[in-house]
Amino acid sequence: MTDNHWTRAPVTDLSSPLMKCYETNTAASTSTYTVASGATIGFKADQAISHPGYLDIYMAKANPTANTESAGSGSVWFKVAEWVPTWTKAAGFTWPSQ
């Protein structure tokens, strides 16, 4: 369960360690899955993703291991998905989550 499970409020402090997964004290219960380069991956959300703006999804290499608090620290992040708005003269901006 994430730290914001009651409010669904975002992390607003970009230097916060919660930027990694919005959970505290989870290192001991973390696990990994090996994925081959170029493989297709996915995830399942427990509710619709609604974000009126650009939406990027990142993953990080589990380094040194996933079950340490330092995992996800540093320059280990890479983008796996991006949703951008479309624009037409008739409708203006349309966000992918609308």
Side-chain angles (χ1 to χ4, degrees):
M1 199 175 297
T2 62
D3 287 353
N4 70 336
H5 67 276
W6 295 115
T7 66
R8 303 276 188 208
V11 175
T12 57
D13 177 3
L14 298 180
S15 64
S16 170
L18 294 177
M19 283 298 289
K20 294 189 279 187
C21 69
Y22 215 150
E23 295 186 37
T24 51
N25 303 317
T26 60
S29 62
T30 301
S31 59
T32 63
Y33 187 80
T34 301
V35 178
S37 178
T40 299
I41 59 168
F43 70 93
K44 183 177 180 180
D46 66 351
Q47 66 178 9
I49 297 174
S50 178
H51 180 73
Y54 288 85
L55 178 62
D56 296 328
I57 297 176
Y58 285 81
M59 293 180 70
K61 182 178 178 180
N63 188 21
T65 60
N67 62 348
T68 64
E69 291 297 330
S70 62
S73 297
S75 299
V76 296
W77 294 91
F78 54 94
K79 188 186 296 186
V80 295
E82 173 182 69
W83 287 281
V84 298
T86 57
W87 185 88
T88 64
K89 188 174 183 177
F93 280 107
T94 303
W95 304 103
S97 63
Q98 291 177 317

